[in-house]
Amino acid sequence: MPNKHFCQGPTCHEQVTQDRFLKSRGVVRGRYAYLPLSHQSEYYGRGKYFCSTRCEGEWLDEQMENIEQGRPIEFIRHRRESKGYVKVKNEDRWGGQYRIERVDNWQAIV
């Protein structure tokens, strides 16, 4: 069991970045939260549940009505993934050496 929660952001696992991409399985995964569970801070305690303020804001936008109505909100206990991505070498030298692209027919590659 890791010493961090998984990011609770609703679209964290859909953001295509190098650190979220797992080449061996062709998936984009959600990140771990920014701070470990043992961190004691009154300033940014929400960092135990979100990887960034963007994910925090998206979660709050999505869950605000549930909070106002006093409804329970599901806590994410597993790492979410988005399948169907591949790492492609750039032909031009501008913009980095590799890029991650969405593949429409994922089953044909696997």
Side-chain angles (χ1 to χ4, degrees):
M1 184 80 177
N3 67 343
K4 292 184 177 184
H5 288 300
F6 297 113
C7 180
Q8 302 297 305
T11 61
C12 185
H13 64 290
E14 298 170 357
Q15 306 300 320
V16 180
T17 59
Q18 293 287 334
D19 65 326
R20 290 180 172 121
F21 180 66
L22 181 62
K23 184 178 178 181
S24 64
R25 293 181 37 215
V27 297
V28 175
R29 304 184 299 179
R31 291 179 177 161
Y32 283 106
Y34 182 71
L35 296 174
L37 297 174
S38 60
H39 184 77
Q40 301 295 326
S41 172
E42 294 179 17
Y43 176 68
Y44 190 58
R46 297 176 307 266
K48 292 182 184 181
Y49 306 103
F50 302 100
C51 66
S52 65
T53 54
R54 174 185 178 168
C55 284
E56 180 183 338
E58 289 176 353
W59 181 87
L60 191 57
D61 290 343
E62 188 174 289
Q63 301 295 340
M64 185 53 80
E65 186 175 334
N66 291 333
I67 294 169
E68 289 174 346
Q69 300 297 324
R71 295 183 214 135
I73 299 170
E74 181 183 355
F75 187 79
I76 298 166
R77 299 190 185 279
H78 64 281
R79 184 175 249 180
R80 295 174 295 171
E81 299 178 343
S82 296
K83 295 184 179 182
Y85 289 89
V86 66
K87 196 173 202 178
V88 179
K89 186 173 176 81
N90 280 339
E91 298 300 324
D92 60 356
R93 55 181 223 179
W94 309 108
Q97 197 172 12
Y98 293 96
R99 68 182 182 275
I100 300 170
E101 290 183 351
R102 179 96 175 138
V103 179
D104 292 331
N105 191 1
W106 173 245
Q107 297 302 326
I109 292 174
V110 176

